[in-house]
Amino acid sequence: MKNLGVNVDHVGTLRNARGEKHPDPLLVAKQAINFGADSITIHLREDRRHIKDEDLIKLSKTKIPLNLEIACNYKMMKIALKYNPNFVCLVPEKREELTTEGGLNLIKNYKKIKFIIKKLNKKKIRTSLFINPTIKDIKYSKKINSNCIEIHTGKLSSLIKEKKNYKNELNKIKNCAKFAKALGLEVHAGHGMDYKTTQILAKISEIKEFNIGHFIIGEAISVGLKEVIRKIKKSIKK
Ligand code: PXP
């Protein structure tokens, strides 16, 4: 059985566009779980562009299985240790990027990441590293003692969307998933996924969890439009 983590960051993006309280990431998180999601992912970015500390505090008080994505630094580590989410995924973070563009540089940040993972493991928080699909990064993830890896599927997703040949990238992901599972790492995947990417990646039996955000939230806007228009029209008619 594969698990689905729903990333609600972009509910925060939409809310922040007006600086008010609607739509509410907490409410959407509860609904996502009611509709069958297995966990909720939030990325507390250092610039707080979508999810804010308040969102993390509220979500951490619920029973919702929470996956917190954070940049690899001690300040964010302390926040994670304080709010004790079920899972933490370390991700690279650049202020100027629109989204998490690639996997972690495990060699450059080896000592720091190992220390942060040790602290989180000690608190029994399930740990994960967001990495590119390379055997080298999987070997490093194992050396770092992470419980899981999350394979960045951004490149594969773009190739599929642009109708380009994606075989090589898919094979890389397949091989990495097999290799990681054989080493005892739990394998997750995410970034840029939509219906088609999900169908393709779901065939890889070693992947245990998908984390999907932008597409689910974006798609929910058009799928949910019918009911909202119906309600507003009903009010107008009164
Ligand atoms: N997994 C990780 C580690 C991420 O950083 C992100 C994006 O924040 C996602 C999954 C979800 O990506 P998307 O919003 O493109 O579905």
Side-chain angles (χ1 to χ4, degrees):
M1 227 348 226
K2 295 185 193 303
N3 291 331
L4 172 65
V6 173
N7 180 318
V8 297
D9 288 352
H10 295 300
V11 180
T13 305
L14 204 54
R15 172 198 57 195
N16 299 349
R18 280 289 170 96
E20 293 176 8
K21 291 193 159 91
H22 182 271
D24 178 11
L26 175 66
L27 180 66
V28 174
K30 285 180 181 166
Q31 288 171 324
I33 295 290
N34 283 341
F35 296 147
D38 299 288
S39 57
I40 295 297
T41 295
I42 53 171
H43 182 177
L44 187 71
R45 277 188 169 266
E46 289 180 285
D47 62 9
R48 306 298 196 265
R49 68 172 74 153
H50 36 54
I51 292 300
K52 306 219 177 258
D53 297 67
E54 261 307 290
D55 299 314
L56 167 62
I57 294 168
K58 285 187 199 159
L59 268 161
S60 65
K61 285 181 184 158
T62 69
K63 291 203 161 66
I64 292 173
L66 183 63
N67 178 32
L68 177 65
E69 292 176 359
I70 51 167
C72 314
N73 62 55
Y74 301 120
K75 201 167 133 203
M76 296 312 294
M77 178 193 80
K78 280 185 192 152
I79 293 178
L81 290 170
K82 181 170 178 195
Y83 294 107
N84 202 24
N86 309 77
F87 322 128
V88 165
C89 181
L90 298 184
V91 299
E93 203 174 297
K94 282 190 248 152
R95 255 168 211 254
E96 64 278 14
E97 70 189 354
L98 288 177
T99 180
T100 317
E101 284 163 359
L104 290 159
N105 186 336
L106 298 182
I107 300 175
K108 192 171 156 210
N109 302 297
Y110 183 78
K111 270 193 171 166
K112 191 168 55 173
I113 294 178
K114 193 161 182 169
F115 178 82
I116 296 172
I117 290 289
K118 189 174 150 195
K119 286 277 187 191
L120 296 167
N121 282 344
K122 213 170 157 196
K123 227 182 160 197
K124 305 249 178 309
I125 295 172
R126 187 196 74 178
T127 49
S128 186
L129 299 173
F130 196 34
I131 58 169
N132 292 319
T134 71
I135 296 292
K136 187 181 77 195
D137 280 342
I138 291 166
K139 286 182 181 164
Y140 270 100
S141 301
K142 183 68 187 168
K143 262 173 78 176
I144 283 169
N145 287 323
S146 180
N147 304 134
C148 318
I149 52 153
E150 179 161 336
I151 298 174
H152 196 299
T153 57
K155 187 170 173 196
L156 176 79
S157 302
S158 300
L159 291 170
I160 295 172
K161 280 176 211 162
E162 291 160 19
K163 299 195 174 9
K164 290 186 179 156
N165 188 341
Y166 60 84
K167 289 260 158 63
N168 270 350
E169 188 63 17
L170 182 61
N171 279 336
K172 259 201 236 169
I173 295 175
K174 272 186 194 163
N175 291 337
C176 284
K178 275 201 175 71
F179 185 75
K181 181 151 187 223
L183 284 184
L185 291 158
E186 190 174 297
V187 183
H188 307 159
H191 207 277
M193 289 176 65
D194 60 8
Y195 294 132
K196 185 150 185 217
T197 333
T198 306
Q199 272 176 0
I200 292 168
L201 286 169
K203 293 192 183 118
I204 304 177
S205 61
E206 289 81 5
I207 299 179
K208 178 90 196 304
E209 179 178 303
F210 291 115
N211 287 303
I212 309 176
H214 189 270
F215 179 77
I216 290 183
I217 301 306
E219 187 70 356
I221 293 174
S222 51
V223 172
L225 204 56
K226 188 175 168 187
E227 181 61 7
V228 185
I229 299 282
R230 189 192 65 76
K231 280 190 176 171
I232 294 283
K233 285 289 276 189
K234 201 174 155 206
S235 304
I236 293 171
K237 276 182 198 152
K238 271 180 193 164

